[in-house]
Amino acid sequence: MATTRPSARQPLADKMYEVLLGQFMDGLWSPGQSVNIGALSRELDVSQTPLREALARLEHTGLVRREALKGYRVAPLFTERELVKLMDARLVLEPAMVHEAARRTTPEFLDELKESIQDLKRCAAAPSSASVRPYWAADERFHLRIAAQCDNPFLETAYRSLGGHVQRFRLFTELGASEAESPAREHAAVLDMMIAGDAEGAAKKMRQHIENAKARALTDRQAVRES
């Protein structure tokens, strides 16, 4: 039987995806900014093909958009309506996920959540441009781990389909010192309920966490409009 050889450019496309995602997380791209593939190709010293593949993957996350005859552009900021709808979707989905995850906890699972919270607290203690990427990575790890533990592939798939939009929300959100500490406390409250074996309590705490995130985001949006 003939052996199927992996595409020689696929690993490079994967690498470029990580590079570009890292640039987003480091704040090097602005909402609405045009993506010049030729300039990127020269800057990163790669051909345009793996870059186009990486951008196609980023398009699925919602971070970039492809415009006919114009190429790629960084997605704009969420409108207030889009922000509300995204958070409302999370309010439906995430309490259900954490309820199921709380019914099937393991020591390893709880330890992983604790570690993500500790990482979040460390980054929140000294917010800076260097801490933004690990901060949001820790936040994402908490929610993704719960999605995997809920043991419902349909819930997990639904959450992952929102993942790119949640990432877009994170990356274009300012990380203020006072607000940075709130998610860590809210994650810890969810974890406490899971450790206690209180699935209903965990779902309630998750709902409060999402509602608080929604309120913080809307407050930030209002402050930007007034500035």
Side-chain angles (χ1 to χ4, degrees):
M1 180 181 295
T3 302
T4 302
R5 299 181 61 185
S7 168
R9 69 170 183 265
Q10 187 59 38
L12 186 55
D14 289 346
K15 181 179 179 181
M16 289 302 101
Y17 173 83
E18 295 299 330
V19 167
L20 294 177
L21 184 59
Q23 290 184 352
F24 273 101
M25 298 189 77
D26 289 338
L28 301 182
W29 293 94
S30 302
Q33 182 178 349
S34 177
V35 179
N36 187 320
I37 296 179
L40 267 179
S41 175
R42 292 188 293 274
E43 174 190 339
L44 300 174
D45 194 24
V46 295
S47 71
Q48 293 188 17
T49 299
L51 283 173
R52 292 184 187 280
E53 293 181 16
L55 286 166
R57 287 179 60 187
L58 282 171
E59 184 180 9
H60 288 299
T61 71
L63 286 172
V64 300
R65 295 179 178 177
R66 185 163 59 88
E67 301 175 343
L69 305 178
K70 293 183 180 180
Y72 287 95
R73 185 176 295 276
V74 179
L77 290 172
F78 278 116
T79 65
E80 188 168 307
R81 182 177 185 277
E82 288 173 331
L83 179 60
V84 168
K85 294 299 184 182
L86 173 62
M87 290 304 185
D88 286 349
R90 293 183 69 187
L91 280 169
V92 171
L93 192 58
E94 295 201 55
M97 291 193 316
V98 80
H99 184 278
E100 293 305 306
R103 296 175 58 227
R104 45 182 60 82
T105 61
T106 65
E108 294 77 15
F109 166 65
L110 296 175
D111 284 345
E112 288 179 40
L113 294 187
K114 288 178 187 176
E115 183 179 350
S116 73
I117 293 170
Q118 289 167 357
D119 290 343
L120 204 57
K121 288 179 177 178
R122 278 194 290 270
C123 295
S128 67
S129 59
S131 68
V132 171
R133 187 196 292 206
Y135 180 92
W136 290 128
D139 181 71
E140 181 181 29
R141 196 161 72 248
F142 180 85
H143 291 273
L144 282 175
R145 189 63 189 85
I146 289 172
Q149 191 68 20
C150 77
D151 194 33
N152 185 322
F154 299 102
L155 283 176
E156 183 178 1
T157 298
Y159 178 75
R160 288 183 179 276
S161 72
L162 284 179
H165 300 289
V166 175
Q167 189 78 298
R168 176 182 162 201
F169 161 74
R170 290 187 181 113
L171 299 186
F172 296 154
T173 299
E174 293 293 331
L175 190 59
S178 59
E179 292 184 350
E181 298 174 356
S182 299
R185 290 195 299 269
E186 292 162 10
H187 285 193
V190 173
L191 177 60
D192 287 344
M193 291 295 102
M194 299 181 87
I195 292 173
D198 185 350
E200 292 291 340
K204 181 179 178 180
K205 293 297 182 181
M206 179 60 83
R207 189 173 296 106
Q208 290 174 349
H209 169 49
I210 303 300
E211 287 175 341
N212 289 342
K214 177 181 177 180
R216 286 191 289 267
L218 291 174
T219 298
D220 289 344
R221 185 64 59 88
Q222 181 66 28
V224 169
R225 282 202 300 264
E226 294 175 351
S227 62

